[in-house]
Amino acid sequence: MPELFLNNVPIKVSNNISNRSHAVCGLLLLGSLATLLGCNGHTPAEAATANTSDTAKDTVSKVDNVYLERTLFDFENADQLQNIIGKNALFSIANSGSNNALEVTFKSEVNYKANISLQAASPWDVSGHQDVAIAVDITNHADASTPLYVKAFDLNDHQSRSTVIPASSSKTYYIVLSGDELDHNTGIRSNPKYWLTDYEQIEWRGGKKDLDLHHITAFEFQVGGSLVDKHLSFDNVRLITPKAVISDYLVGLVDQFGQNAKHYFNGKVNSVEALQQHSAKEIALLEKAPRLADRSQFNGWINGPKLAATGYFRVDKYQDKWTLVDPEGYLFFSNGIANIRMANTSTITGYDFDPALINIKLATDLTPEDSLGLNQVDHQALPSRKLVSALRSDMFSWLPSYDEPLGQNFGYRRSVHTGPVLSGETFSFYRTNLQRKFAENDPEKLFEKWKDNTINRMHSWGFTSFGNWVDPGYYQMNRLPYFANGWIIGDFKTVSSGNDYWSPLPDPFDPVFAVRARATIAQIALEVDNNPWCIGVFIDNEKSWGMMGSTQSQYGIVINTLSRSTEDSPAKVAFVDALKSKYLTIDSLNKAWEQKFSWDDLIKGVRLKNINDAVSADLSMLLTLYAEQYFKTVSSTLKQYMPNHLYMGARFASWGMTSEIREAAAKYADVMSYNYYNEGLDKGFWAFLEEVNRPSIIGEFHNGSLDSGLLHPGLVPAQSQADRGLMYQEYMKSVIENRYFVGAHWFQYIDSPLTGRAYDGENYNVGFVSVTDKPYTELVDAAKVVNSTLYKKRFSEEKKSVKDVN
């Protein structure tokens, strides 16, 4: 097989001759790299395509880096519009030079989601190829980038991907439907590009990897969570296969610093000396950087009004806007970075140990394993170390031995959410690089240096607080306001919404749940120790409460619980009691529900099929009952143990909440919290804020780019590091201008590991700093601009006296 070099790194290439009558011919392009592989001519498939009515256009029929198998949409014929469906989108065929293209205006300013669906008149059969993808030419005429979300459908399932269409660009993008990246569970959310092509790969997000290739039914292009309408052109939707692929694209992927060994990128570290020199320069600059002059001791707005001071953070309204108030009475807006800790910096190495030598997980644990940091194994287990995944171990060009100083960065996961192994050894390149840059091997001294440097950065960058998930080691430093956090975990019974992405939901009617809530919150209270620098407490995160859109998705908790017996479900007991209290007799319930149940049927479990208005109303009532029990239990326990600190809610994911859940939370939480990964607070999604009418905070948002050397941009893709900064500013502007929001927290401080975090494979460029702890300058500079005018932008009036405000 031929050997090519990419950025001076050799790569193995294999010809893709599956289902073809002859080997690769033609000119192979890889970016600016051209390698001659053979002669000329077309494959039989191409020749057949050239003689059909859907002949490819000159712009895509050149034999360069892929084989064209079939054109699906070329938009030369207006009849093709019959197979296009738009939702909140306007589209038409328009001439774009020598060819026609599909022009689409996504009405995304006022709609949460806008999309077009290109549907097959009859299902497309794209099977018969080892590697196959759908390619499409996309043009963006605007001077701003557009994140684009793409789905491919078969008869029953779909897969989803995302990419970014750069400003003023026209490129070809492809969606892999069959191939190596879908055949193997690598433990990486989005794998390296392995097709030898200059086309842009659309990154994996989720869904079903093995679609029915005999029956592909549609492709969807969506814009969502946008602050403005978006306009794109689509052309030449076609089926393609590669002439050659990189066979060892995962081998030697990671260098000794945890960086991409196969690509050069701006900011890449090539030596320990360079790492230390950059660190020394930054530390010297941080020492000279003053804190912003308009900040109080707690980073409130010292130039603004002074409200009643309680000695702790609280919520209030000013200028008809919800606001936090710092312990001294100054207006406070929480702009910070979340996940500043060593947890989630580790990646799976491919090795494991004798399970009998690993401590078991206990029901009395207070913190999920993935939030505990390294979780190092006992020394007694080390002799049993064994290779369990060569696919994973081959990704690393270097790992230390356990008996050298850098070996202290190995850890362990007893369980993972997704990945090629069920458990195994982990390694943190980030912590390793901290040892190198600070020339410090003592764990305690290293931790102190890292904390001091991190807080100096927060002050220099102008952030007012930490976000969620800051290491408890920061709690008593009294240098930056923070949020404490905890999870209620244990051996209580659970319920299911039908989604359960991270885990099943707790059954708050189980007495064990209240016991575990007390244990968790008592530990948080011990760590915080009534410290006024603690703003509040987040409990739990992104639970699958349900989602709007259908009866099943909204009321899954109730529907699934009603199907269970009261013998194993305390929530089911509460639901039956509520129905008996409302209807008194089973005849009354049956009349309303149009059913023929007995109370005994209901106790044993029933499956609802025909859901009328009365049933829907009762499902809503029972979902409210469930949610109020959860939030009431958490809130009352927090008030008991931490009466001076705010309850910040359960950090709702945009995909995992319903109106009933929000209303119940609003009764008990001091601040509503939402994790919202989009371009900003768009008009289409947030209509419910007025009816909830509670102070709110963004618990997570981010964006990322592939020019970092990482393989996935994160949940909101940007075109470059400079674009990340612009998108950050736009998001923050939308939050600052919204009267309900009292803050927003970026997720996260550190990039994900290149080969995916150990728990679930996330490998995103979403950090303010890289794996080598180098800040992304463009993003930092953008945040400095936002933070320098934060309070003036939020509160427009001049300073008022206390009597004017109270």
Side-chain angles (χ1 to χ4, degrees):
M1 78 182 43
E3 185 176 68
L4 300 182
F5 286 81
L6 176 61
N7 296 319
N8 297 318
V9 178
I11 56 176
K12 292 181 180 179
V13 179
S14 61
N15 291 336
N16 183 3
I17 59 175
S18 174
N19 300 305
R20 298 188 179 279
S21 62
H22 61 274
V24 174
C25 300
L27 186 65
L28 175 68
L29 298 179
L30 175 60
S32 61
L33 176 66
T35 304
L36 192 61
L37 290 185
C39 54
N40 55 28
H42 293 270
T43 65
E46 287 170 325
T49 301
N51 293 324
T52 64
S53 59
D54 55 359
T55 301
K57 302 174 189 179
D58 291 340
T59 56
V60 298
S61 63
K62 294 180 297 184
V63 180
D64 47 18
N65 49 3
V66 296
Y67 290 109
L68 170 66
E69 298 297 333
R70 180 164 37 128
T71 298
L72 305 178
F73 285 86
D74 61 10
F75 308 111
E76 294 304 314
N77 188 338
D79 290 343
Q80 293 180 8
L81 291 178
Q82 299 176 23
N83 295 319
I84 301 174
I85 297 176
K87 180 179 179 182
N88 302 321
L90 305 176
F91 58 89
S92 63
I93 291 178
N95 186 268
S96 58
S98 61
N99 301 301
N100 289 342
L102 185 71
E103 302 287 337
V104 182
T105 298
F106 296 93
K107 307 298 289 183
S108 48
E109 181 176 2
V110 296
N111 296 292
Y112 174 44
K113 294 179 180 179
N115 60 61
I116 57 165
S117 177
L118 278 57
Q119 302 188 335
S122 59
W124 294 306
D125 185 347
V126 303
S127 63
H129 305 279
Q130 180 177 329
D131 297 278
V132 67
I134 296 296
V136 56
D137 302 336
I138 306 177
T139 299
N140 179 7
H141 298 287
D143 58 2
S145 63
T146 294
L148 188 67
Y149 303 91
V150 184
K151 290 182 180 179
F153 294 84
D154 64 14
L155 292 172
N156 300 304
D157 295 290
H158 76 273
Q159 63 171 242
S160 60
R161 295 172 178 266
S162 62
T163 190
V164 63
I165 313 303
S168 305
S169 69
S170 185
K171 296 183 178 182
T172 299
Y173 301 81
Y174 68 99
I175 309 155
V176 175
L177 296 178
S178 176
D180 194 75
E181 78 156 288
L182 301 175
D183 293 340
H184 302 291
N185 187 344
T186 63
I188 306 177
R189 187 62 60 92
S190 185
N191 294 317
K193 179 179 179 179
Y194 71 99
W195 282 35
L196 281 171
T197 172
D198 52 352
Y199 294 172
E200 301 290 334
Q201 176 178 278
I202 300 181
E203 285 75 38
W204 177 264
R205 283 177 69 89
K208 195 171 189 293
K209 288 193 172 182
D210 55 335
L211 294 177
D212 178 2
L213 299 182
H214 296 281
H215 299 91
I216 299 299
T217 60
F219 294 93
E220 178 183 280
F221 301 95
Q222 177 177 286
V223 171
S226 175
L227 300 176
V228 296
D229 289 347
K230 301 289 179 129
H231 182 83
L232 299 173
S233 299
F234 299 85
D235 203 0
N236 303 310
V237 182
R238 69 263 195 200
L239 185 69
I240 60 171
T241 56
K243 291 180 178 177
V245 297
I246 306 171
S247 58
D248 63 345
Y249 68 103
L250 290 171
V251 177
L253 176 63
V254 188
D255 70 11
Q256 63 174 318
F257 297 99
Q259 304 168 119
N260 194 327
K262 296 178 180 286
H263 292 278
Y264 171 78
F265 52 90
N266 189 33
K268 189 172 185 177
V269 171
N270 294 311
S271 69
V272 173
E273 292 75 19
L275 181 67
Q276 292 175 342
Q277 290 171 5
H278 182 276
S279 176
K281 182 178 179 180
E282 187 205 8
I283 289 172
L285 291 174
L286 289 175
E287 290 177 351
K288 299 178 181 179
R291 289 184 59 187
L292 295 180
D294 66 344
R295 304 290 174 84
S296 71
Q297 176 187 196
F298 294 95
N299 273 337
W301 190 28
I302 200 169
N303 294 333
K306 193 169 186 182
L307 280 61
T310 63
Y312 295 91
F313 283 90
R314 64 183 183 86
V315 292
D316 206 335
K317 270 191 174 183
Y318 176 70
Q319 294 181 349
D320 197 35
K321 300 172 184 175
W322 283 107
T323 184
L324 292 164
V325 180
D326 80 6
E328 297 176 314
Y330 294 107
L331 302 177
F332 183 89
F333 187 92
S334 176
N335 190 21
I337 302 176
N339 214 30
I340 301 182
R341 57 181 185 174
M342 293 300 163
N344 305 133
T345 65
S346 295
T347 191
I348 294 288
T349 65
Y351 291 86
D352 206 346
F353 303 88
D354 183 347
L357 302 177
I358 303 297
N359 293 330
I360 63 171
K361 188 175 182 179
L362 302 175
T364 54
D365 290 347
L366 297 175
T367 305
E369 186 181 44
D370 67 296
S371 290
L372 288 174
L374 289 175
N375 311 302
Q376 293 171 319
V377 298
D378 293 335
H379 285 283
Q380 64 176 354
L382 296 184
S384 71
R385 185 175 185 253
K386 59 184 178 181
L387 179 67
V388 294
S389 174
L391 180 148
R392 287 293 303 184
S393 66
D394 287 347
M395 295 178 186
F396 306 100
S397 61
W398 171 89
L399 285 174
S401 64
Y402 272 82
D403 57 1
E404 62 181 288
L406 296 181
Q408 65 181 265
N409 299 298
F410 283 107
Y412 192 76
R413 283 289 181 273
R414 291 173 291 186
S415 63
V416 300
H417 184 267
T418 49
V421 297
L422 299 177
S423 61
E425 177 187 84
T426 66
F427 188 76
S428 173
F429 283 96
Y430 177 74
R431 192 181 183 282
T432 300
N433 289 327
L434 292 181
Q435 277 184 253
R436 290 164 168 158
K437 69 178 284 184
F438 290 124
E440 181 60 71
N441 293 326
D442 181 274
E444 292 186 3
K445 292 180 180 178
L446 179 68
F447 188 48
E448 292 304 314
K449 289 183 177 181
W450 174 69
K451 288 192 300 179
D452 181 67
N453 189 62
T454 300
I455 289 186
N456 288 341
R457 283 172 170 172
M458 298 302 109
H459 287 156
S460 173
W461 300 350
F463 288 107
T464 62
S465 73
F466 289 116
N468 192 34
W469 291 325
V470 61
D471 192 289
Y474 288 94
Y475 285 8
Q476 302 304 327
M477 293 185 71
N478 297 347
R479 292 180 60 191
L480 195 71
Y482 64 90
F483 296 85
N485 72 88
W487 298 259
I488 304 174
I489 59 175
D491 57 355
F492 46 77
K493 294 184 181 298
T494 61
V495 300
S496 172
S497 68
N499 179 356
D500 306 336
Y501 179 74
W502 294 115
S503 63
L505 290 148
D507 186 334
F509 295 98
D510 184 348
V512 178
F513 176 77
V515 172
R516 298 300 298 154
R518 287 194 295 272
T520 293
I521 293 170
Q523 177 62 30
I524 299 171
L526 184 67
E527 293 171 348
V528 171
D529 194 23
N530 204 34
N531 192 327
W533 288 83
C534 177
I535 300 170
V537 184
F538 292 102
I539 299 292
D540 289 330
N541 179 65
E542 289 192 351
K543 291 194 169 297
S544 302
W545 305 97
M547 64 183 73
M548 307 299 287
S550 72
T551 299
Q552 183 64 49
S553 66
Q554 183 172 355
Y555 299 119
I557 292 173
V558 180
I559 293 172
N560 294 328
T561 301
L562 287 176
S563 71
R564 300 171 62 182
S565 169
T566 56
E567 292 183 0
D568 67 351
S569 175
K572 175 62 177 295
V573 174
F575 290 175
V576 171
D577 288 345
L579 292 172
K580 285 184 174 181
S581 177
K582 176 177 180 178
Y583 287 103
L584 300 180
T585 69
I586 192 63
D587 289 339
S588 296
L589 183 146
N590 281 329
K591 182 178 180 181
W593 283 23
E594 298 179 303
Q595 299 287 349
K596 296 180 180 179
F597 297 144
S598 66
W599 285 124
D600 193 49
D601 291 334
L602 202 61
I603 288 170
K604 290 180 180 179
V606 297
R607 296 192 178 277
L608 300 177
K609 295 181 179 179
N610 300 318
I611 298 177
N612 61 22
D613 290 344
V615 177
S616 293
D618 287 338
L619 293 177
S620 179
M621 173 192 73
L622 296 176
L623 182 58
T624 298
L625 179 69
Y626 167 86
E628 289 196 357
Q629 181 69 13
Y630 170 88
F631 288 106
K632 178 173 62 177
T633 301
V634 176
S635 177
S636 62
T637 307
L638 268 171
K639 297 306 179 187
Q640 177 185 351
Y641 285 91
M642 305 180 71
N644 295 315
H645 297 95
L646 300 171
Y647 175 26
M648 303 298 297
R651 297 166 56 81
F652 294 133
S654 58
W655 48 262
M657 60 178 172
T658 75
S659 55
E660 293 88 355
I661 298 294
R662 290 193 297 262
E663 290 169 10
K667 285 186 177 182
Y668 299 100
D670 297 304
V671 179
M672 300 284 284
S673 50
Y674 308 93
N675 297 349
Y676 194 66
Y677 289 99
N678 279 296
E679 293 180 62
L681 300 188
D682 55 288
K683 299 174 183 177
F685 184 79
W686 295 96
F688 62 82
L689 287 174
E690 186 172 351
E691 55 190 70
V692 174
N693 193 25
R694 294 295 297 151
S696 302
I697 197 166
I698 294 295
E700 295 179 19
F701 76 103
H702 70 213
N703 65 60
S705 174
L706 297 180
D707 64 354
S708 59
L710 274 83
L711 309 172
H712 200 297
L715 299 180
V716 180
Q719 75 180 66
S720 64
Q721 296 305 310
D723 197 35
R724 291 182 74 198
L726 293 173
M727 292 177 71
Y728 172 85
Q729 291 178 332
E730 289 299 310
Y731 193 109
M732 285 303 304
K733 181 175 183 288
S734 73
V735 177
I736 293 168
E737 292 178 349
N738 191 298
R739 62 192 181 97
Y740 292 101
F741 281 86
V742 299
H745 300 155
W746 174 277
F747 184 89
Q748 58 186 5
Y749 182 48
I750 309 156
D751 275 341
S752 306
L754 174 66
T755 47
R757 65 184 186 184
Y759 184 59
D760 63 357
E762 284 191 5
N763 60 330
Y764 302 159
N765 165 229
V766 295
F768 259 73
V769 302
S770 70
V771 68
T772 59
D773 200 42
K774 291 181 68 174
Y776 288 103
T777 304
E778 297 92 338
L779 184 58
V780 169
D781 289 346
K784 285 182 177 180
V785 171
V786 170
N787 289 327
S788 67
T789 58
L790 176 64
Y791 286 115
K792 289 183 179 179
K793 296 290 186 181
R794 176 65 177 175
F795 305 106
S796 58
E797 294 182 11
E798 296 296 324
K799 179 176 178 180
K800 294 185 177 181
S801 66
V802 175
K803 67 173 63 177
D804 292 331
V805 176
N806 293 337

